Amino acid sequence: MSAKRHNSVHFGSQAYPHGMEPTTETRRDPRRGRTRRALMDAALELVEKKDNFTALSLRLVARKAGVVPTAFYRHFPDMDALGLALVDESFRTLRQLMREVRSTSIPVKQVMRQSMETYIDYVRANAQHFQFVAKERFSGSPAIRTAIRQEIRLFTSELATDLSRFPILDKVNAEDLQMMAGLVVNNMTSLTEQVLDLPADDPEEKEFLIRTAEKQLRVIVLGALAWRSR
Amino acid sequence: MSAKRHNSVHFGSQAYPHGMEPTTETRRDPRRGRTRRALMDAALELVEKKDNFTALSLRLVARKAGVVPTAFYRHFPDMDALGLALVDESFRTLRQLMREVRSTSIPVKQVMRQSMETYIDYVRANAQHFQFVAKERFSGSPAIRTAIRQEIRLFTSELATDLSRFPILDKVNAEDLQMMAGLVVNNMTSLTEQVLDLPADDPEEKEFLIRTAEKQLRVIVLGALAWRSR
DNA sequence: CCTCCATGTCAACACCTGTTCACAAACTAC
DNA sequence: GTAGTTTGTGAACAGGTGTTGACATGGAGG
């Protein structure tokens, strides 16, 4: 659930994160941005099935999108630009999940278990985007790598301010909150990568993954509670 | 310190982890395995400076090693085989560090701070190998990826048995020990990747990294101590 | 209507790629 | 020294690559 939305077609603003797209207006034409989307989807599929985004060739992506190589340049100057657009889109979907979670009041009793479960489902539903980010985070071109790094940093900061709202942590200073958020993010990314390598339908292994991730989060929380109060 | 050793020349057994190399004997010839090493070094340098190992071409590696493309096949059937040899070598160096650490009795007072410090120095001294592993862990070819995954799993298990020797944790069952080891390894890999992106000489940033990593480890330990004893 | 302009096509370029084969050099072992 | 094996060389192949320029199409807005 809550994941189907990303299958719909988005126009504009993916590749121009800071509003330099051609003044969004008049988008009644259903053909608008169609090829652009086809290119991005082609790249995502190729990354999911084959190895690397960096290893993808412009021609291959164009071919998979059902378009001649030269048409690529009508939408992106570069393969790097396509990659940046994908980074932007990927984190847009993640941010959306976070927004949904924040606006939902969860029963405190089983908050951890359920958080893990919905997160895992979310990763699997958006596997292509997460796969892309996981693969390019370290091996991508410098531009893509720093873009991803920045997004993660931002995400960590947001989580830190979320944490600051818990009354139990109100004695923890800002730097330590950031450090705890980093701890959580580290283990979330690790969990993400494990989920991506999960065999398609193995509920047993999935259950084990959930239980482990939940316990790890629990250890972190226990540690955070004991922090500066020994 | 303790890191210079890996610069010496190693013969045999890197690409054949399980002893199928040509019956090591009679290695008085200083030319033996020289080109092989040159190829591996060339690949490491290219990975460190450029992007991906998967994106490397056989011809480029051969050229950088000062050898004609055809000569490559005398030493490796594949680029994949070269990659596997590098995985093996990388984890050999890491295992060596662990052995040294285990055999050293550390003053309990500042064990964490010092552990972090020596580990960071170690990563920087062997940056090429760690860089290679970090980049190929997710984006490499399937063979290389599973090889790395297996090595990390093994490393985690070793750490788990190390943990089991602490008397404070003797009430923790095997599965939970494994889970705690996973927690530590997650954050070690994250730290590793941050170290690799550290600007060459920025002692201030390095100090911040050490402090954060140390505190994160401390949170984990606090959590582990509180585990099942509330 | 007719003119722009975005979008897509086609042909061509210079270059790099993995892999092959036959051949030369160098070292080992007898 | 001579035979045999390992190691490195050179030329050649079929094919993929990024990027170019000139040209076709077709919808948008005057």
Side-chain angles (χ1 to χ4, degrees):
Chain A
M1 37 115 174
S2 88
K4 203 167 271 175
R5 200 164 317 169
H6 103 285
N7 285 330
S8 66
V9 178
H10 296 280
F11 300 97
S13 111
Q14 277 96 340
Y16 309 90
H18 296 307
M20 19 186 352
E21 72 269 39
T23 65
T24 55
E25 208 62 46
T26 65
R27 57 175 49 163
R28 275 159 306 171
D29 181 5
R31 200 144 12 205
R32 253 289 193 131
R34 228 190 38 165
T35 316
R36 178 189 174 82
R37 185 101 285 274
L39 287 169
M40 293 175 72
D41 284 339
L44 282 175
E45 275 184 47
L46 287 172
V47 167
E48 187 186 26
K49 266 146 198 150
K50 299 195 41 168
D51 307 86
N52 214 325
F53 177 83
T54 321
L56 288 187
S57 74
L58 186 152
R59 287 181 110 107
L60 185 64
V61 173
R63 208 176 310 143
K64 178 122 192 170
V67 120
V68 91
T70 14
F72 182 96
Y73 293 103
R74 301 296 180 189
H75 303 273
F76 302 98
D78 240 18
M79 278 291 285
D80 245 41
L82 210 195
L84 290 178
L86 289 178
V87 171
D88 193 57
E89 187 177 72
S90 300
F91 279 93
R92 189 194 315 287
T93 71
L94 179 60
R95 228 177 290 286
Q96 171 189 333
L97 168 69
M98 285 296 284
R99 236 177 292 124
E100 288 177 13
V101 166
R102 251 189 287 266
S103 66
T104 315
S105 63
I106 2 88
V108 187
K109 195 66 182 181
Q110 58 199 14
V111 52
M112 290 193 200
R113 156 115 206 155
Q114 193 168 344
S115 296
M116 286 301 153
E117 218 163 330
T118 70
Y119 179 69
I120 288 181
D121 289 342
Y122 193 81
V123 170
R124 299 184 102 178
N126 300 59
Q128 286 187 339
H129 286 94
F130 282 97
Q131 195 84 248
F132 167 79
V133 171
K135 284 183 174 170
E136 296 311 302
R137 182 168 172 215
F138 299 111
S139 86
S141 77
I144 292 181
R145 241 171 21 202
T146 64
I148 293 180
R149 199 174 313 280
Q150 199 166 326
E151 294 276 11
I152 291 183
R153 229 195 298 268
L154 200 143
F155 183 82
T156 307
S157 281
E158 287 182 9
L159 181 59
T161 78
D162 280 0
L163 291 182
S164 76
R165 280 197 260 278
F166 283 95
I168 322 155
L169 295 176
D170 62 353
K171 278 284 173 35
V172 181
N173 65 27
E175 184 184 313
D176 286 355
L177 275 177
Q178 199 77 22
M179 159 240 137
M180 289 176 187
L183 205 46
V184 173
V185 170
N186 280 352
N187 288 277
M188 262 178 62
T189 62
S190 167
L191 170 64
T192 307
E193 291 146 0
Q194 284 174 278
V195 171
L196 291 177
D197 286 335
L198 215 54
D201 273 323
D202 189 338
E204 199 164 330
E205 192 122 9
K206 180 188 168 190
E207 172 58 30
F208 179 74
L209 217 60
I210 295 180
R211 214 176 57 239
T212 307
E214 184 205 347
K215 286 200 276 190
Q216 288 177 334
L217 181 56
R218 205 173 288 278
V219 168
I220 293 177
V221 170
L222 283 176
L225 292 184
W227 186 250
R228 288 251 167 98
S229 50
R230 315 150 255 178
Chain B
M1 34 111 178
S2 87
K4 202 168 270 176
R5 201 163 318 169
H6 102 286
N7 285 331
S8 65
V9 179
H10 297 280
F11 301 97
S13 110
Q14 276 96 338
Y16 309 90
H18 295 307
M20 21 187 348
E21 72 269 36
T23 66
T24 54
E25 207 64 45
T26 66
R27 57 174 49 161
R28 275 159 307 167
D29 181 6
R31 199 142 16 202
R32 253 262 177 168
R34 227 190 39 166
T35 317
R36 179 192 173 83
R37 184 103 284 276
L39 287 168
M40 294 176 71
D41 284 340
L44 283 175
E45 274 183 49
L46 287 171
V47 167
E48 186 186 27
K49 266 146 198 150
K50 300 196 38 170
D51 307 85
N52 213 325
F53 177 83
T54 320
L56 288 187
S57 73
L58 186 151
R59 286 182 109 105
L60 186 64
V61 174
R63 208 177 308 142
K64 179 120 192 170
V67 120
V68 91
T70 11
F72 182 97
Y73 293 103
R74 301 296 181 189
H75 302 274
F76 303 98
D78 242 16
M79 279 293 282
D80 246 40
L82 210 194
L84 290 179
L86 289 178
V87 171
D88 192 58
E89 188 177 71
S90 300
F91 279 92
R92 189 194 314 288
T93 71
L94 178 60
R95 228 178 289 285
Q96 172 189 333
L97 169 68
M98 285 298 284
R99 237 177 293 124
E100 289 177 13
V101 166
R102 251 189 287 267
S103 66
T104 314
S105 63
I106 1 90
V108 186
K109 195 66 184 183
Q110 58 199 14
V111 52
M112 289 191 201
R113 158 113 205 156
Q114 192 168 344
S115 295
M116 286 301 154
E117 217 163 331
T118 71
Y119 180 70
I120 288 181
D121 289 342
Y122 194 81
V123 170
R124 300 184 100 179
N126 299 58
Q128 286 187 338
H129 286 95
F130 282 97
Q131 195 85 248
F132 168 79
V133 172
K135 284 184 174 168
E136 296 311 302
R137 183 169 171 212
F138 300 110
S139 87
S141 77
I144 292 181
R145 241 170 21 203
T146 63
I148 293 179
R149 200 175 311 282
Q150 199 167 327
E151 293 276 10
I152 291 183
R153 228 196 298 270
L154 201 144
F155 183 82
T156 308
S157 282
E158 286 182 9
L159 180 60
T161 78
D162 280 359
L163 291 182
S164 76
R165 280 197 261 277
F166 283 95
I168 321 154
L169 296 176
D170 61 352
K171 278 281 172 36
V172 181
N173 65 26
E175 185 184 313
D176 286 354
L177 274 177
Q178 199 77 24
M179 159 243 141
M180 289 174 187
L183 205 46
V184 173
V185 170
N186 280 352
N187 288 276
M188 262 177 63
T189 62
S190 167
L191 170 64
T192 306
E193 290 145 359
Q194 284 174 278
V195 171
L196 290 177
D197 287 334
L198 214 55
D201 272 322
D202 189 338
E204 199 163 330
E205 192 122 9
K206 180 188 168 190
E207 172 59 29
F208 179 74
L209 218 60
I210 294 180
R211 212 174 59 237
T212 307
E214 185 205 346
K215 286 200 275 193
Q216 287 177 334
L217 182 56
R218 205 174 287 278
V219 169
I220 293 177
V221 169
L222 284 176
L225 292 183
W227 186 252
R228 290 256 164 96
S229 50
R230 316 150 255 179

